[in-house]
Amino acid sequence: AEKAAAEKAEADRLAAEKAAAAEREAKAKAARELAELKRINERNANIAAHSNKVYFTIGSAKIRDVEAEKVKALIEFLTANPDYRVAVVGYADKYTGSANINMVLSEKRAAAVKKQLIEAGIAENRIDSDYKGETGTFGEKPADNRVVICTLE
């Protein structure tokens, strides 16, 4: 009877250890998942806060001073956060110029923003650049579509 009681006590002890280990592992897994969710949320908040639109005047790919401040803020963020990349996509409005002219203009706009990023020390391999001509509609006014959209990734 003593032997049976000792065996039962040992079995109970092992079961309790196993349950405690499983609980510790479950808590550790939950903590890792929570940390990952916090990291993703922080990254998404940074993407939303630091992505930007750089607007241009009709027929121009020159970055105006007021818009250069947006590029400067993007440069500062990218410099401080080397794990982020940026997609730079140029557009033109469909109300002025032909489709061909607008395609070239949107390319020049995207190139102007990319050039400033590179000149400020952002590695070219962190910048995805594209242009879409007059294919995007981002607002009710034509001026809303004379834009380079800079989206962090």
Side-chain angles (χ1 to χ4, degrees):
E2 276 184 39
K3 184 177 178 185
E7 288 175 353
K8 182 178 181 333
E10 180 62 13
D12 289 347
R13 185 187 67 75
L14 290 173
E17 280 182 15
K18 187 175 181 179
E23 184 177 345
R24 283 191 305 274
E25 178 54 35
K27 285 181 179 179
K29 181 180 178 188
R32 287 190 305 270
E33 289 173 354
L34 181 60
E36 178 65 8
L37 283 175
K38 285 180 179 179
R39 187 193 68 74
I40 290 169
N41 285 340
E42 181 180 319
R43 188 169 182 89
N44 288 342
N46 278 332
I47 288 170
H50 298 285
S51 294
N52 217 328
K53 295 178 180 176
V54 179
Y55 293 97
F56 294 81
T57 57
I58 290 177
S60 175
K62 181 181 183 306
I63 300 173
R64 297 174 293 154
D65 290 345
V66 66
E67 300 301 313
E69 291 301 314
K70 296 176 183 178
V71 178
K72 182 180 176 190
L74 181 61
I75 289 166
E76 289 172 0
F77 181 82
L78 287 168
T79 300
N81 297 277
D83 57 322
Y84 284 82
R85 300 173 46 79
V86 65
V88 175
V89 183
Y91 294 91
D93 75 270
K94 63 184 175 186
Y95 302 103
T96 54
S98 68
N100 288 339
I101 288 170
N102 285 335
M103 190 61 75
V104 171
L105 185 57
S106 68
E107 180 180 16
K108 288 180 179 178
R109 289 173 174 166
V113 172
K114 181 178 179 179
K115 180 178 183 238
Q116 283 206 348
L117 294 172
I118 291 169
E119 286 176 353
I122 304 304
E124 190 169 356
N125 66 359
R126 294 178 60 203
I127 306 166
D128 293 325
S129 183
D130 199 3
Y131 51 95
K132 306 282 185 172
E134 58 188 41
T135 61
T137 303
F138 305 102
E140 296 177 16
K141 300 178 290 187
D144 295 336
N145 301 302
R146 299 177 200 126
V147 65
V148 169
I149 299 177
C150 305
T151 307
L152 290 169
E153 302 173 333

